[in-house]
Amino acid sequence: TSGTDMTHLRPSLLVLLLATMLVALPTGCAPQPSLKQQLNTARDTASKQLPLPYRDGLSVESALVEDDTLVLLIRNPEGEAAKVREHPRYGELVQGEQDAMQELCAWPALRPLHGSEARIVRRFVDRNGGLFFETSLPAKACSTTTADPQGPAQ
């Protein structure tokens, strides 16, 4: 009789285990935030730290979202974009800034974008909003970098 009782209890135990797993399942499979949510979170977090000094008297003035891109606006209070673009070493300046893009991966504010389909752009403008140039980095390039609390540049 005890064998019969055990057989009778096994289905109940199985049902109980399955029910427990189904109740726990939704919390373990929470949906990932959308790219737009990730971008907005990164923008909001970065904006709380701005303005931030950048290099050579420049400052990171604002962060904004444009489509799948987080744009960091860097303003130069001196110089005019048109004149700088005509300088013989302009290409070296742009390449130097492009090479420095990877350092953004270390900024904790941008951690929500790591490994995502987003792009991160530094947009350099003059005091009147004239565009010097932009540099960009796919956020996927940040998937394995550690964060630096100091911000996007030193």
Side-chain angles (χ1 to χ4, degrees), residues 31-50 62-72 107-114 116 118-120:
Q32 294 295 320
S34 70
L35 181 59
K36 192 68 161 177
Q37 290 169 324
Q38 291 171 310
L39 284 160
N40 289 336
T41 298
R43 178 205 55 214
D44 295 347
T45 304
S47 293
K48 291 175 186 172
Q49 299 174 29
L50 301 178
S62 63
L64 54 137
V65 174
E66 294 178 356
D67 299 318
D68 66 346
T69 304
L70 178 73
V71 177
L72 300 172
W107 192 18
L110 303 186
R111 192 174 292 140
L113 300 179
H114 287 193
S116 76
R119 285 184 334 119
I120 304 166

